[in-house]
């Protein structure tokens, strides 16, 4: 699943490839109005990507679990079948293709699709006070679910949820109200540090402490890492049962 740092990489690559250039063709017909317009900017916002065009129009895409933008030279073979393309923007020297994005829409007000989001975890300066205030208003039942709530803080996905909780030895099933503000602040700052570090690390060299490592030893204590489904969205949480404790009470029966 693309997380905030992946969207940042994507936006940076698109910016290098197409910013300032004029669209020579745009498909499907729902976005054909982009033809002849110049790309003004490409901006990541949490897990959303906003491409602004001259004339005050923007293309909003949300990658969710499946979407990805690719850049190709004209005539180059695509890495996914054409039927999976949800947007194809052609320029004189490059083609930008988005595959399998569940949200792809033209919007007049570029801020509208992202107005509900909390502060972006990767933006400078990071508005941590606003995140904590939003966290207090959240109805998330557990810390794991709180971290994924994009209305509280935009950009954290399942990987950095697991990694940040492990880094601070916090139980993902803990009630957010049981964590004091100092530790809550440290939790968001830890997720931010981990994600910012990964923006500059090649994907092949990235490794995680717990995410994707079920059954393998915890880097801190050697206990085998466990996985358990968490929350209404049934996201898989990786955790060390020694450093972070087992889920307590009712959470255990969710399995
Ligand atoms: Zn451990």
């Amino acid at each position: 699943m693309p997380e905030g740092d992946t969207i940042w990489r994507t936006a940076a690559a698109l910016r290098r490839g197409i910013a300032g250039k004029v669209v020579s063709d745009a498909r499907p017909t729902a976005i054909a109005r982009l033809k002849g317009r110049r790309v003004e900017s490409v901006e990541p916002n949490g897990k959303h990507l906003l491409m602004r065009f001259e004339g005050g129009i923007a293309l909003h895409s949300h990658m969710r679990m499946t979407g990805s933008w690719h850049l190709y030279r004209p005539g180059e073979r695509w890495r996914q079948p054409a039927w999976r393309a949800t947007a194809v923007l052609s320029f004189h020297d490059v083609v930008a293709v988005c595959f399998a994005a569940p949200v792809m829409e033209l919007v007049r007000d570029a801020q509208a699709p992202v107005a509900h989001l909390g502060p972006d975890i990767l933006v400078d300066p990071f508005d941590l006070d606003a995140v904590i205030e939003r966290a207090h208003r959240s109805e998330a039942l557990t810390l794991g679910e709180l971290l994924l709530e994009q209305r509280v803080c935009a950009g954290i996905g399942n990987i950095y949820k697991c990694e940040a909780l492990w880094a601070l030895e916090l139980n993902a099933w803990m009630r957010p109200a049981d964590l004091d503000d100092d530790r809550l602040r440290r939790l968001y700052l830890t997720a931010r540090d981990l994600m910012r570090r990964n923006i500059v690390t090649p994907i092949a060299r990235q490794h995680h402490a717990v995410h994707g490592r079920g059954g393998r030893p915890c880097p801190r204590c050697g206990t085998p890492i466990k996985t358990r489904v968490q929350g209404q969205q049934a996201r898989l949480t990786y955790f060390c049962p020694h450093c972070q404790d087992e889920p307590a009470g009712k959470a255990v029966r969710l399995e």
Side-chain angles (χ1 to χ4, degrees):
M1 162 169 194
E3 309 224 4
D5 63 326
T6 310
I7 303 282
W8 270 61
R9 288 168 186 275
T10 300
L14 284 169
R15 211 176 287 133
R16 281 193 301 272
I18 66 172
K21 294 180 184 170
V22 175
V23 179
S24 56
D25 191 34
R27 285 179 289 141
T29 45
I31 63 166
R33 278 197 291 157
L34 295 176
K35 188 175 171 180
R37 291 176 195 263
R38 190 178 300 278
V39 179
E40 287 182 339
S41 67
V42 182
E43 299 158 22
N45 202 321
K47 298 174 193 173
H48 300 252
L49 194 94
L50 283 164
M51 225 179 257
R52 292 173 197 260
F53 295 82
E54 60 187 353
I57 198 164
L59 184 64
H60 166 229
S61 51
H62 191 313
M63 306 294 123
R64 294 244 162 82
M65 317 287 267
T66 53
S68 58
W69 278 96
H70 295 187
L71 287 171
Y72 297 104
R73 287 182 300 278
E76 188 183 345
R77 191 186 161 89
W78 295 357
R79 278 174 288 159
Q80 292 196 32
W83 60 264
R84 281 176 62 88
T86 39
V88 182
L89 297 176
S90 301
F91 301 85
H92 75 279
D93 60 344
V94 68
V95 183
V97 186
C98 185
F99 293 103
V103 177
M104 181 66 67
E105 59 180 359
L106 286 179
V107 290
R108 271 286 161 200
D109 175 5
Q111 281 313 308
V114 294
H116 66 286
L117 295 177
D120 191 306
I121 186 94
L122 290 171
V123 160
D124 258 332
F126 176 49
D127 194 349
L128 183 56
D129 289 338
V131 169
I132 300 304
E133 192 185 306
R134 282 165 175 259
H136 288 161
R137 293 203 303 265
S138 162
E139 289 173 4
L141 296 175
T142 64
L143 224 40
E145 290 161 278
L146 176 68
L147 284 177
L148 292 181
E149 232 177 62
Q150 305 296 303
R151 275 168 301 179
V152 172
C153 181
I156 304 177
N158 202 45
I159 296 175
Y160 294 101
K161 172 198 85 178
C162 298
E163 294 296 302
L165 289 167
W166 176 84
L168 296 186
E169 302 181 40
L170 290 170
N171 187 324
W173 283 265
M174 183 179 178
R175 287 190 335 137
D178 292 340
L179 196 67
D180 61 58
D181 275 8
D182 280 352
R183 287 203 295 166
L184 193 58
R185 296 174 87 90
R186 271 184 60 204
L187 183 56
Y188 282 102
L189 290 177
T190 300
R192 175 174 152 93
D193 283 349
L194 292 169
M195 292 180 72
R196 287 172 72 95
R197 221 176 292 161
N198 262 355
I199 290 179
V200 294
T201 308
I203 287 174
R205 295 231 316 272
Q206 294 180 10
H207 42 83
H208 302 123
V210 287
H211 188 271
R213 299 190 62 246
R216 289 157 66 192
C218 165
R220 193 160 42 216
C221 74
T223 305
I225 288 159
K226 283 194 173 184
T227 59
R228 195 157 285 179
V229 167
Q230 182 173 26
Q232 288 187 329
Q233 292 185 52
R235 305 304 303 277
L236 199 56
T237 295
Y238 292 81
F239 63 100
C240 170
H242 176 74
C243 297
Q244 299 170 266
D245 289 337
E246 294 274 1
K250 270 193 278 181
V252 174
R253 276 177 246 135
L254 283 176
E255 230 182 355

